[in-house]
Amino acid sequence: MTILVTGGAGFIGSNFVRHWLKKEKTGLGADHKLVILDKLSYAGHLCSIEDCITDSDVEFVHGDMGNSELVLALLDRTSPDYIVNFAAESHVDRSINAPDNFIQTNIVATHTLLNTVLNWWEQRAEDTKSGFRFLHVSTDEVYGSLNEHDPAFTEKNPYQPNSPYSASKAASDHLVRAYHHTYGLPVLTTNCSNNYGPYQFPEKLIPLMICNAVSGKALPVYGDGKNIRDWLYVGDHCAAICDVLHRGKVGAVYNIGGGNEIRNIDIVQTICTILDDIKPRGDGRSYKEQISFVEDRKGHDKRYAVDTTKITSELGWKPEHVFAQGLKETIEWYLLNETWIKSVLSEE
């Protein structure tokens, strides 16, 4: 079989590529092929997958999913059984400052990809069409914001996006749904909570705090730091995506969360405590002294949390990583991979 991964050089995409090669490929035989399509924007880097593309069964294609001619030629040549779409602009701050890129990538390019895939899929032989899957990776932010005591988001919650980023992802989710209900394209959608782990671009909360701390820089926390997020280890997310691909109901939506609701300030303080233990400051003082509170993000959502009852009951998935250990392993990875950090920041 062949799987096409768009955005496979980004954070979650590169981790998925590794997970697929390590966990899934062994059971698929010698004819298995993995194709990665990525335009290598600021958040996609070859250095995140360079050890993977040396595999004879892995092909990297530098290109934009919004280029219909390129994508159609790729589909005709590789004839994928699965497509997993990670490609997206994903940083809320960037969407506030420059929303045009998010509209172009997350809505326009996603629609172009869907339309190209549909036209190709409709020409496939009937005996191969039924097994094809298009899985769209999305976010819990499309559901909006929760108050402290509200129940977690389920797949039936209405969409109430509050940032240009989440609005653009909500639009892409609706397009994916429409292509299934209108044209019959066999799609799946996953909405995940905040991911953490290796290969995350150092602008997101956890890698930013790690990198700033050991560089002696301030650790900027928005507002009062009491905004709450549910944290999901990226490896657990990748395992869930595979379960949905193989056994998910066509046309369905699955929420994927880690079950770790934690305030931002508590995340930062925990990172400082771990660093105090494994990489103490030269002056013997705590990294917590570098924490600073800055003006809150515009339209900052108060809390995200997802109910994972559906994916657990239907597919048997549940996260394996305990947050404390996963965070420690993540911090250790960043401390050991300074070359990768310098490489991606220099490209930016």
Side-chain angles (χ1 to χ4, degrees):
M1 69 175 302
T2 297
I3 180 169
L4 170 61
V5 179
T6 64
F11 166 42
I12 304 176
S14 64
N15 277 279
F16 178 81
V17 166
R18 282 186 166 75
H19 178 89
W20 186 270
L21 293 174
K22 183 178 180 180
K23 302 288 187 179
E24 302 290 326
K25 180 183 173 182
T26 53
L28 297 174
D31 294 331
H32 173 70
K33 181 82 173 177
L34 190 151
V35 182
I36 303 167
L37 175 66
D38 200 297
K39 69 178 182 180
L40 300 179
S41 67
Y42 71 91
H45 306 277
L46 271 179
C47 61
S48 296
I49 54 170
E50 58 186 356
D51 58 322
C52 300
I53 58 179
T54 59
D55 189 309
S56 60
D57 294 323
V58 178
E59 176 185 358
F60 174 75
V61 178
H62 183 198
D64 189 340
M65 67 174 177
N67 183 335
S68 59
E69 292 183 2
L70 181 149
V71 171
L72 182 57
L74 185 60
L75 295 173
D76 285 338
R77 179 170 62 82
T78 64
S79 192
D81 301 279
Y82 294 157
I83 296 176
V84 184
N85 180 35
F86 292 99
E89 296 280 349
S90 65
H91 191 46
V92 174
D93 286 351
R94 288 178 183 258
S95 81
I96 293 171
N97 296 326
D100 288 359
N101 293 335
F102 289 73
I103 304 304
Q104 182 60 42
T105 298
N106 297 352
I107 303 178
V108 178
T110 300
H111 173 255
T112 300
L113 175 66
L114 280 166
N115 198 49
T116 306
V117 170
L118 174 66
N119 292 333
W120 167 81
W121 175 76
E122 288 181 331
Q123 302 305 313
R124 296 191 76 179
E126 289 299 325
D127 61 343
T128 64
K129 286 175 68 174
S130 61
F132 174 77
R133 297 291 183 269
F134 180 102
L135 191 151
H136 177 65
V137 180
S138 191
T139 172
D140 59 356
E141 295 187 42
V142 297
Y143 297 122
S145 181
L146 293 169
N147 292 318
E148 184 177 357
H149 300 293
D150 288 341
F153 296 124
T154 73
E155 291 81 358
K156 294 183 178 180
N157 271 83
Y159 276 25
Q160 295 180 320
N162 292 320
S163 71
Y165 161 61
S166 56
S168 66
K169 288 297 290 183
S172 68
D173 292 6
H174 290 320
L175 286 168
V176 170
R177 173 186 168 86
Y179 266 70
H180 172 65
H181 285 274
T182 302
Y183 306 112
L185 187 68
V187 305
L188 298 151
T189 299
T190 57
N191 295 93
C192 68
S193 59
N194 278 34
N195 280 221
Y196 72 100
Y199 298 101
Q200 187 170 30
F201 190 73
E203 67 182 356
K204 298 297 182 78
L205 180 66
I206 288 177
L208 176 65
M209 295 302 156
I210 298 168
C211 295
N212 276 18
V214 297
S215 299
K217 299 178 181 178
L219 307 180
V221 177
Y222 279 131
D224 59 8
K226 294 181 180 179
N227 299 73
I228 298 170
R229 302 293 182 260
D230 173 21
W231 292 92
L232 170 67
Y233 187 72
V234 66
D236 290 334
H237 184 194
C238 294
I241 289 172
C242 290
D243 286 345
V244 173
L245 264 179
H246 294 316
R247 296 181 286 112
K249 181 180 178 182
V250 172
V253 176
Y254 294 91
N255 285 345
I256 307 173
N260 300 296
E261 289 190 55
I262 306 172
R263 301 186 309 173
N264 288 344
I265 185 60
D266 295 332
I267 290 281
V268 177
Q269 290 177 340
T270 302
I271 291 171
C272 291
T273 298
I274 294 172
L275 286 172
D276 286 342
D277 180 48
I278 65 177
K279 191 179 176 62
R281 279 177 34 162
D283 59 7
R285 303 171 78 169
S286 175
Y287 287 99
K288 292 178 182 178
E289 295 186 7
Q290 295 170 223
I291 295 175
S292 65
F293 293 90
V294 299
E295 182 181 353
D296 206 358
R297 170 191 283 165
K298 294 179 180 178
H300 201 174
D301 289 336
K302 182 65 179 176
R303 171 178 167 244
Y304 304 139
V306 295
D307 185 324
T308 59
T309 299
K310 182 177 180 178
I311 191 172
T312 299
S313 60
E314 289 190 14
L315 307 181
W317 175 87
K318 60 180 179 180
E320 295 183 359
H321 286 76
V322 176
F323 180 74
Q325 184 60 32
L327 181 60
K328 186 173 184 292
E329 291 175 4
T330 300
I331 292 171
E332 290 172 341
W333 186 90
Y334 279 93
L335 295 180
L336 291 172
N337 287 273
E338 186 177 350
T339 301
W340 178 86
I341 295 169
K342 289 181 177 179
S343 176
V344 300
L345 289 178
S346 65
E347 289 180 24
E348 164 70 352

PDB file of all heavy atoms in Angstrom, residues 304-335:
ATOM      1  N   TYR A 304      -9.475  24.844  26.905  1.00  0.00           N
ATOM      2  CA  TYR A 304      -9.813  23.797  25.949  1.00  0.00           C
ATOM      3  C   TYR A 304      -9.782  22.455  26.670  1.00  0.00           C
ATOM      4  O   TYR A 304      -8.902  22.202  27.497  1.00  0.00           O
ATOM      5  CB  TYR A 304      -8.798  23.707  24.802  1.00  0.00           C
ATOM      6  CG  TYR A 304      -8.561  24.967  24.012  1.00  0.00           C
ATOM      7  CD1 TYR A 304      -7.277  25.321  23.629  1.00  0.00           C
ATOM      8  CD2 TYR A 304      -9.613  25.778  23.612  1.00  0.00           C
ATOM      9  CE1 TYR A 304      -7.035  26.461  22.879  1.00  0.00           C
ATOM     10  CE2 TYR A 304      -9.391  26.912  22.863  1.00  0.00           C
ATOM     11  CZ  TYR A 304      -8.100  27.259  22.494  1.00  0.00           C
ATOM     12  OH  TYR A 304      -7.863  28.382  21.756  1.00  0.00           O
ATOM     13  N   ALA A 305     -10.706  21.584  26.328  1.00  0.00           N
ATOM     14  CA  ALA A 305     -10.692  20.215  26.833  1.00  0.00           C
ATOM     15  C   ALA A 305     -11.584  19.377  25.932  1.00  0.00           C
ATOM     16  O   ALA A 305     -12.665  19.820  25.544  1.00  0.00           O
ATOM     17  CB  ALA A 305     -11.194  20.151  28.271  1.00  0.00           C
ATOM     18  N   VAL A 306     -11.140  18.182  25.575  1.00  0.00           N
ATOM     19  CA  VAL A 306     -11.941  17.334  24.696  1.00  0.00           C
ATOM     20  C   VAL A 306     -12.323  16.037  25.394  1.00  0.00           C
ATOM     21  O   VAL A 306     -11.554  15.473  26.173  1.00  0.00           O
ATOM     22  CB  VAL A 306     -11.212  17.016  23.374  1.00  0.00           C
ATOM     23  CG1 VAL A 306     -11.008  18.271  22.555  1.00  0.00           C
ATOM     24  CG2 VAL A 306      -9.886  16.316  23.613  1.00  0.00           C
ATOM     25  N   ASP A 307     -13.523  15.595  25.100  1.00  0.00           N
ATOM     26  CA  ASP A 307     -14.040  14.321  25.594  1.00  0.00           C
ATOM     27  C   ASP A 307     -13.635  13.240  24.592  1.00  0.00           C
ATOM     28  O   ASP A 307     -14.008  13.302  23.416  1.00  0.00           O
ATOM     29  CB  ASP A 307     -15.559  14.418  25.707  1.00  0.00           C
ATOM     30  CG  ASP A 307     -16.193  13.187  26.325  1.00  0.00           C
ATOM     31  OD1 ASP A 307     -15.697  12.076  26.070  1.00  0.00           O
ATOM     32  OD2 ASP A 307     -17.192  13.327  27.047  1.00  0.00           O
ATOM     33  N   THR A 308     -12.869  12.245  25.033  1.00  0.00           N
ATOM     34  CA  THR A 308     -12.373  11.202  24.133  1.00  0.00           C
ATOM     35  C   THR A 308     -13.183   9.903  24.230  1.00  0.00           C
ATOM     36  O   THR A 308     -12.715   8.843  23.803  1.00  0.00           O
ATOM     37  CB  THR A 308     -10.897  10.902  24.433  1.00  0.00           C
ATOM     38  OG1 THR A 308     -10.767  10.486  25.803  1.00  0.00           O
ATOM     39  CG2 THR A 308     -10.034  12.135  24.204  1.00  0.00           C
ATOM     40  N   THR A 309     -14.386   9.991  24.760  1.00  0.00           N
ATOM     41  CA  THR A 309     -15.213   8.788  24.933  1.00  0.00           C
ATOM     42  C   THR A 309     -15.428   8.055  23.617  1.00  0.00           C
ATOM     43  O   THR A 309     -15.367   6.820  23.555  1.00  0.00           O
ATOM     44  CB  THR A 309     -16.576   9.161  25.541  1.00  0.00           C
ATOM     45  OG1 THR A 309     -16.382   9.753  26.820  1.00  0.00           O
ATOM     46  CG2 THR A 309     -17.457   7.930  25.688  1.00  0.00           C
ATOM     47  N   LYS A 310     -15.651   8.797  22.538  1.00  0.00           N
ATOM     48  CA  LYS A 310     -15.978   8.175  21.252  1.00  0.00           C
ATOM     49  C   LYS A 310     -14.826   7.337  20.721  1.00  0.00           C
ATOM     50  O   LYS A 310     -15.008   6.162  20.367  1.00  0.00           O
ATOM     51  CB  LYS A 310     -16.372   9.244  20.236  1.00  0.00           C
ATOM     52  CG  LYS A 310     -16.765   8.674  18.882  1.00  0.00           C
ATOM     53  CD  LYS A 310     -17.217   9.781  17.932  1.00  0.00           C
ATOM     54  CE  LYS A 310     -17.604   9.214  16.579  1.00  0.00           C
ATOM     55  NZ  LYS A 310     -18.092  10.270  15.641  1.00  0.00           N
ATOM     56  N   ILE A 311     -13.622   7.909  20.664  1.00  0.00           N
ATOM     57  CA  ILE A 311     -12.496   7.164  20.105  1.00  0.00           C
ATOM     58  C   ILE A 311     -12.089   6.003  21.015  1.00  0.00           C
ATOM     59  O   ILE A 311     -11.651   4.952  20.548  1.00  0.00           O
ATOM     60  CB  ILE A 311     -11.292   8.098  19.825  1.00  0.00           C
ATOM     61  CG1 ILE A 311     -10.239   7.357  19.003  1.00  0.00           C
ATOM     62  CG2 ILE A 311     -10.696   8.649  21.099  1.00  0.00           C
ATOM     63  CD1 ILE A 311      -9.106   8.245  18.513  1.00  0.00           C
ATOM     64  N   THR A 312     -12.287   6.177  22.315  1.00  0.00           N
ATOM     65  CA  THR A 312     -11.965   5.099  23.245  1.00  0.00           C
ATOM     66  C   THR A 312     -12.958   3.951  23.137  1.00  0.00           C
ATOM     67  O   THR A 312     -12.571   2.778  23.074  1.00  0.00           O
ATOM     68  CB  THR A 312     -11.939   5.625  24.685  1.00  0.00           C
ATOM     69  OG1 THR A 312     -10.934   6.638  24.806  1.00  0.00           O
ATOM     70  CG2 THR A 312     -11.620   4.508  25.663  1.00  0.00           C
ATOM     71  N   SER A 313     -14.240   4.279  23.078  1.00  0.00           N
ATOM     72  CA  SER A 313     -15.265   3.232  23.041  1.00  0.00           C
ATOM     73  C   SER A 313     -15.322   2.530  21.686  1.00  0.00           C
ATOM     74  O   SER A 313     -15.531   1.319  21.609  1.00  0.00           O
ATOM     75  CB  SER A 313     -16.631   3.818  23.389  1.00  0.00           C
ATOM     76  OG  SER A 313     -17.003   4.824  22.467  1.00  0.00           O
ATOM     77  N   GLU A 314     -15.147   3.280  20.597  1.00  0.00           N
ATOM     78  CA  GLU A 314     -15.257   2.680  19.262  1.00  0.00           C
ATOM     79  C   GLU A 314     -13.973   1.991  18.819  1.00  0.00           C
ATOM     80  O   GLU A 314     -14.013   0.938  18.182  1.00  0.00           O
ATOM     81  CB  GLU A 314     -15.634   3.744  18.230  1.00  0.00           C
ATOM     82  CG  GLU A 314     -17.066   4.245  18.334  1.00  0.00           C
ATOM     83  CD  GLU A 314     -17.459   5.119  17.158  1.00  0.00           C
ATOM     84  OE1 GLU A 314     -16.715   5.124  16.138  1.00  0.00           O
ATOM     85  OE2 GLU A 314     -18.499   5.789  17.245  1.00  0.00           O
ATOM     86  N   LEU A 315     -12.808   2.590  19.137  1.00  0.00           N
ATOM     87  CA  LEU A 315     -11.550   2.095  18.586  1.00  0.00           C
ATOM     88  C   LEU A 315     -10.588   1.572  19.643  1.00  0.00           C
ATOM     89  O   LEU A 315      -9.545   1.006  19.314  1.00  0.00           O
ATOM     90  CB  LEU A 315     -10.860   3.208  17.784  1.00  0.00           C
ATOM     91  CG  LEU A 315     -11.717   3.889  16.697  1.00  0.00           C
ATOM     92  CD1 LEU A 315     -10.903   4.939  15.964  1.00  0.00           C
ATOM     93  CD2 LEU A 315     -12.276   2.854  15.725  1.00  0.00           C
ATOM     94  N   GLY A 316     -10.907   1.786  20.913  1.00  0.00           N
ATOM     95  CA  GLY A 316     -10.066   1.271  21.981  1.00  0.00           C
ATOM     96  C   GLY A 316      -8.809   2.073  22.241  1.00  0.00           C
ATOM     97  O   GLY A 316      -7.929   1.625  22.987  1.00  0.00           O
ATOM     98  N   TRP A 317      -8.720   3.272  21.656  1.00  0.00           N
ATOM     99  CA  TRP A 317      -7.514   4.092  21.861  1.00  0.00           C
ATOM    100  C   TRP A 317      -7.567   4.833  23.194  1.00  0.00           C
ATOM    101  O   TRP A 317      -8.628   5.297  23.614  1.00  0.00           O
ATOM    102  CB  TRP A 317      -7.360   5.131  20.746  1.00  0.00           C
ATOM    103  CG  TRP A 317      -6.211   6.064  21.003  1.00  0.00           C
ATOM    104  CD1 TRP A 317      -4.909   5.881  20.653  1.00  0.00           C
ATOM    105  CD2 TRP A 317      -6.257   7.324  21.689  1.00  0.00           C
ATOM    106  NE1 TRP A 317      -4.143   6.930  21.078  1.00  0.00           N
ATOM    107  CE2 TRP A 317      -4.938   7.836  21.719  1.00  0.00           C
ATOM    108  CE3 TRP A 317      -7.281   8.056  22.296  1.00  0.00           C
ATOM    109  CZ2 TRP A 317      -4.626   9.048  22.316  1.00  0.00           C
ATOM    110  CZ3 TRP A 317      -6.969   9.267  22.898  1.00  0.00           C
ATOM    111  CH2 TRP A 317      -5.657   9.755  22.904  1.00  0.00           C
ATOM    112  N   LYS A 318      -6.426   4.970  23.827  1.00  0.00           N
ATOM    113  CA  LYS A 318      -6.259   5.862  24.968  1.00  0.00           C
ATOM    114  C   LYS A 318      -4.783   6.248  25.048  1.00  0.00           C
ATOM    115  O   LYS A 318      -3.905   5.491  24.611  1.00  0.00           O
ATOM    116  CB  LYS A 318      -6.722   5.210  26.273  1.00  0.00           C
ATOM    117  CG  LYS A 318      -5.980   3.944  26.655  1.00  0.00           C
ATOM    118  CD  LYS A 318      -6.532   3.383  27.968  1.00  0.00           C
ATOM    119  CE  LYS A 318      -5.801   2.101  28.358  1.00  0.00           C
ATOM    120  NZ  LYS A 318      -6.330   1.550  29.639  1.00  0.00           N
ATOM    121  N   PRO A 319      -4.488   7.435  25.571  1.00  0.00           N
ATOM    122  CA  PRO A 319      -3.084   7.874  25.626  1.00  0.00           C
ATOM    123  C   PRO A 319      -2.264   6.996  26.565  1.00  0.00           C
ATOM    124  O   PRO A 319      -2.752   6.552  27.604  1.00  0.00           O
ATOM    125  CB  PRO A 319      -3.184   9.312  26.131  1.00  0.00           C
ATOM    126  CG  PRO A 319      -4.494   9.392  26.838  1.00  0.00           C
ATOM    127  CD  PRO A 319      -5.408   8.451  26.125  1.00  0.00           C
ATOM    128  N   GLU A 320      -1.007   6.781  26.188  1.00  0.00           N
ATOM    129  CA  GLU A 320      -0.126   5.947  26.994  1.00  0.00           C
ATOM    130  C   GLU A 320       0.813   6.761  27.884  1.00  0.00           C
ATOM    131  O   GLU A 320       1.285   6.262  28.890  1.00  0.00           O
ATOM    132  CB  GLU A 320       0.715   5.047  26.082  1.00  0.00           C
ATOM    133  CG  GLU A 320      -0.097   4.027  25.303  1.00  0.00           C
ATOM    134  CD  GLU A 320       0.780   3.115  24.464  1.00  0.00           C
ATOM    135  OE1 GLU A 320       2.024   3.309  24.478  1.00  0.00           O
ATOM    136  OE2 GLU A 320       0.237   2.210  23.804  1.00  0.00           O
ATOM    137  N   HIS A 321       1.091   8.006  27.500  1.00  0.00           N
ATOM    138  CA  HIS A 321       2.093   8.792  28.218  1.00  0.00           C
ATOM    139  C   HIS A 321       1.504   9.527  29.420  1.00  0.00           C
ATOM    140  O   HIS A 321       0.494  10.230  29.290  1.00  0.00           O
ATOM    141  CB  HIS A 321       2.752   9.809  27.282  1.00  0.00           C
ATOM    142  CG  HIS A 321       3.721   9.184  26.323  1.00  0.00           C
ATOM    143  ND1 HIS A 321       3.320   8.482  25.221  1.00  0.00           N
ATOM    144  CD2 HIS A 321       5.082   9.158  26.326  1.00  0.00           C
ATOM    145  CE1 HIS A 321       4.379   8.053  24.565  1.00  0.00           C
ATOM    146  NE2 HIS A 321       5.456   8.442  25.209  1.00  0.00           N
ATOM    147  N   VAL A 322       2.117   9.337  30.564  1.00  0.00           N
ATOM    148  CA  VAL A 322       1.826  10.151  31.742  1.00  0.00           C
ATOM    149  C   VAL A 322       2.489  11.511  31.514  1.00  0.00           C
ATOM    150  O   VAL A 322       3.653  11.589  31.117  1.00  0.00           O
ATOM    151  CB  VAL A 322       2.371   9.485  33.016  1.00  0.00           C
ATOM    152  CG1 VAL A 322       2.148  10.383  34.222  1.00  0.00           C
ATOM    153  CG2 VAL A 322       1.732   8.120  33.213  1.00  0.00           C
ATOM    154  N   PHE A 323       1.753  12.597  31.771  1.00  0.00           N
ATOM    155  CA  PHE A 323       2.241  13.916  31.383  1.00  0.00           C
ATOM    156  C   PHE A 323       3.597  14.257  32.009  1.00  0.00           C
ATOM    157  O   PHE A 323       4.487  14.770  31.326  1.00  0.00           O
ATOM    158  CB  PHE A 323       1.224  14.996  31.747  1.00  0.00           C
ATOM    159  CG  PHE A 323       1.693  16.374  31.360  1.00  0.00           C
ATOM    160  CD1 PHE A 323       1.690  16.775  30.036  1.00  0.00           C
ATOM    161  CD2 PHE A 323       2.162  17.257  32.322  1.00  0.00           C
ATOM    162  CE1 PHE A 323       2.138  18.044  29.664  1.00  0.00           C
ATOM    163  CE2 PHE A 323       2.618  18.518  31.959  1.00  0.00           C
ATOM    164  CZ  PHE A 323       2.595  18.907  30.636  1.00  0.00           C
ATOM    165  N   ALA A 324       3.770  13.981  33.274  1.00  0.00           N
ATOM    166  CA  ALA A 324       5.018  14.349  33.954  1.00  0.00           C
ATOM    167  C   ALA A 324       6.223  13.711  33.274  1.00  0.00           C
ATOM    168  O   ALA A 324       7.254  14.369  33.052  1.00  0.00           O
ATOM    169  CB  ALA A 324       4.955  13.948  35.425  1.00  0.00           C
ATOM    170  N   GLN A 325       6.106  12.437  32.919  1.00  0.00           N
ATOM    171  CA  GLN A 325       7.218  11.753  32.264  1.00  0.00           C
ATOM    172  C   GLN A 325       7.390  12.232  30.830  1.00  0.00           C
ATOM    173  O   GLN A 325       8.510  12.421  30.345  1.00  0.00           O
ATOM    174  CB  GLN A 325       7.005  10.240  32.295  1.00  0.00           C
ATOM    175  CG  GLN A 325       8.162   9.426  31.709  1.00  0.00           C
ATOM    176  CD  GLN A 325       9.475   9.659  32.435  1.00  0.00           C
ATOM    177  OE1 GLN A 325       9.491   9.906  33.640  1.00  0.00           O
ATOM    178  NE2 GLN A 325      10.578   9.613  31.709  1.00  0.00           N
ATOM    179  N   GLY A 326       6.259  12.435  30.122  1.00  0.00           N
ATOM    180  CA  GLY A 326       6.330  12.923  28.750  1.00  0.00           C
ATOM    181  C   GLY A 326       6.979  14.291  28.669  1.00  0.00           C
ATOM    182  O   GLY A 326       7.767  14.569  27.752  1.00  0.00           O
ATOM    183  N   LEU A 327       6.660  15.167  29.621  1.00  0.00           N
ATOM    184  CA  LEU A 327       7.253  16.504  29.629  1.00  0.00           C
ATOM    185  C   LEU A 327       8.749  16.421  29.902  1.00  0.00           C
ATOM    186  O   LEU A 327       9.543  17.107  29.252  1.00  0.00           O
ATOM    187  CB  LEU A 327       6.569  17.373  30.683  1.00  0.00           C
ATOM    188  CG  LEU A 327       7.077  18.810  30.780  1.00  0.00           C
ATOM    189  CD1 LEU A 327       6.897  19.554  29.459  1.00  0.00           C
ATOM    190  CD2 LEU A 327       6.377  19.565  31.914  1.00  0.00           C
ATOM    191  N   LYS A 328       9.151  15.579  30.837  1.00  0.00           N
ATOM    192  CA  LYS A 328      10.578  15.426  31.146  1.00  0.00           C
ATOM    193  C   LYS A 328      11.341  14.904  29.924  1.00  0.00           C
ATOM    194  O   LYS A 328      12.427  15.412  29.602  1.00  0.00           O
ATOM    195  CB  LYS A 328      10.769  14.484  32.330  1.00  0.00           C
ATOM    196  CG  LYS A 328      12.216  14.368  32.823  1.00  0.00           C
ATOM    197  CD  LYS A 328      12.285  13.551  34.101  1.00  0.00           C
ATOM    198  CE  LYS A 328      13.707  13.517  34.665  1.00  0.00           C
ATOM    199  NZ  LYS A 328      14.626  12.749  33.805  1.00  0.00           N
ATOM    200  N   GLU A 329      10.773  13.929  29.239  1.00  0.00           N
ATOM    201  CA  GLU A 329      11.415  13.391  28.045  1.00  0.00           C
ATOM    202  C   GLU A 329      11.509  14.452  26.948  1.00  0.00           C
ATOM    203  O   GLU A 329      12.502  14.518  26.218  1.00  0.00           O
ATOM    204  CB  GLU A 329      10.639  12.177  27.534  1.00  0.00           C
ATOM    205  CG  GLU A 329      10.729  10.963  28.453  1.00  0.00           C
ATOM    206  CD  GLU A 329       9.863   9.810  27.979  1.00  0.00           C
ATOM    207  OE1 GLU A 329       9.246   9.940  26.895  1.00  0.00           O
ATOM    208  OE2 GLU A 329       9.798   8.787  28.683  1.00  0.00           O
ATOM    209  N   THR A 330      10.481  15.287  26.841  1.00  0.00           N
ATOM    210  CA  THR A 330      10.490  16.358  25.848  1.00  0.00           C
ATOM    211  C   THR A 330      11.590  17.370  26.153  1.00  0.00           C
ATOM    212  O   THR A 330      12.336  17.798  25.259  1.00  0.00           O
ATOM    213  CB  THR A 330       9.119  17.055  25.811  1.00  0.00           C
ATOM    214  OG1 THR A 330       8.112  16.094  25.454  1.00  0.00           O
ATOM    215  CG2 THR A 330       9.104  18.201  24.826  1.00  0.00           C
ATOM    216  N   ILE A 331      11.694  17.767  27.416  1.00  0.00           N
ATOM    217  CA  ILE A 331      12.742  18.709  27.815  1.00  0.00           C
ATOM    218  C   ILE A 331      14.117  18.126  27.518  1.00  0.00           C
ATOM    219  O   ILE A 331      14.993  18.811  26.960  1.00  0.00           O
ATOM    220  CB  ILE A 331      12.605  19.052  29.311  1.00  0.00           C
ATOM    221  CG1 ILE A 331      11.327  19.863  29.555  1.00  0.00           C
ATOM    222  CG2 ILE A 331      13.832  19.833  29.804  1.00  0.00           C
ATOM    223  CD1 ILE A 331      11.001  20.072  31.015  1.00  0.00           C
ATOM    224  N   GLU A 332      14.317  16.862  27.841  1.00  0.00           N
ATOM    225  CA  GLU A 332      15.610  16.219  27.594  1.00  0.00           C
ATOM    226  C   GLU A 332      15.919  16.171  26.099  1.00  0.00           C
ATOM    227  O   GLU A 332      17.069  16.352  25.693  1.00  0.00           O
ATOM    228  CB  GLU A 332      15.612  14.809  28.194  1.00  0.00           C
ATOM    229  CG  GLU A 332      15.610  14.812  29.719  1.00  0.00           C
ATOM    230  CD  GLU A 332      15.414  13.429  30.315  1.00  0.00           C
ATOM    231  OE1 GLU A 332      14.919  12.532  29.585  1.00  0.00           O
ATOM    232  OE2 GLU A 332      15.738  13.239  31.506  1.00  0.00           O
ATOM    233  N   TRP A 333      14.888  15.963  25.276  1.00  0.00           N
ATOM    234  CA  TRP A 333      15.106  15.931  23.827  1.00  0.00           C
ATOM    235  C   TRP A 333      15.619  17.285  23.329  1.00  0.00           C
ATOM    236  O   TRP A 333      16.565  17.346  22.544  1.00  0.00           O
ATOM    237  CB  TRP A 333      13.810  15.558  23.099  1.00  0.00           C
ATOM    238  CG  TRP A 333      14.025  15.364  21.618  1.00  0.00           C
ATOM    239  CD1 TRP A 333      14.347  14.214  20.975  1.00  0.00           C
ATOM    240  CD2 TRP A 333      13.951  16.382  20.595  1.00  0.00           C
ATOM    241  NE1 TRP A 333      14.491  14.437  19.631  1.00  0.00           N
ATOM    242  CE2 TRP A 333      14.253  15.747  19.372  1.00  0.00           C
ATOM    243  CE3 TRP A 333      13.674  17.740  20.599  1.00  0.00           C
ATOM    244  CZ2 TRP A 333      14.275  16.444  18.147  1.00  0.00           C
ATOM    245  CZ3 TRP A 333      13.708  18.447  19.404  1.00  0.00           C
ATOM    246  CH2 TRP A 333      13.994  17.795  18.195  1.00  0.00           C
ATOM    247  N   TYR A 334      14.994  18.362  23.791  1.00  0.00           N
ATOM    248  CA  TYR A 334      15.428  19.690  23.341  1.00  0.00           C
ATOM    249  C   TYR A 334      16.834  20.019  23.836  1.00  0.00           C
ATOM    250  O   TYR A 334      17.619  20.651  23.127  1.00  0.00           O
ATOM    251  CB  TYR A 334      14.425  20.764  23.776  1.00  0.00           C
ATOM    252  CG  TYR A 334      13.229  20.832  22.850  1.00  0.00           C
ATOM    253  CD1 TYR A 334      12.077  20.112  23.126  1.00  0.00           C
ATOM    254  CD2 TYR A 334      13.274  21.584  21.680  1.00  0.00           C
ATOM    255  CE1 TYR A 334      10.992  20.135  22.260  1.00  0.00           C
ATOM    256  CE2 TYR A 334      12.194  21.623  20.816  1.00  0.00           C
ATOM    257  CZ  TYR A 334      11.060  20.897  21.100  1.00  0.00           C
ATOM    258  OH  TYR A 334       9.994  20.918  20.234  1.00  0.00           O
ATOM    259  N   LEU A 335      17.171  19.578  25.021  1.00  0.00           N
ATOM    260  CA  LEU A 335      18.522  19.820  25.540  1.00  0.00           C
ATOM    261  C   LEU A 335      19.571  19.063  24.736  1.00  0.00           C
ATOM    262  O   LEU A 335      20.711  19.532  24.596  1.00  0.00           O
ATOM    263  CB  LEU A 335      18.602  19.403  27.017  1.00  0.00           C
ATOM    264  CG  LEU A 335      17.752  20.202  28.005  1.00  0.00           C
ATOM    265  CD1 LEU A 335      17.946  19.666  29.417  1.00  0.00           C
ATOM    266  CD2 LEU A 335      18.081  21.691  27.951  1.00  0.00           C
TER     267      LEU A 335
END
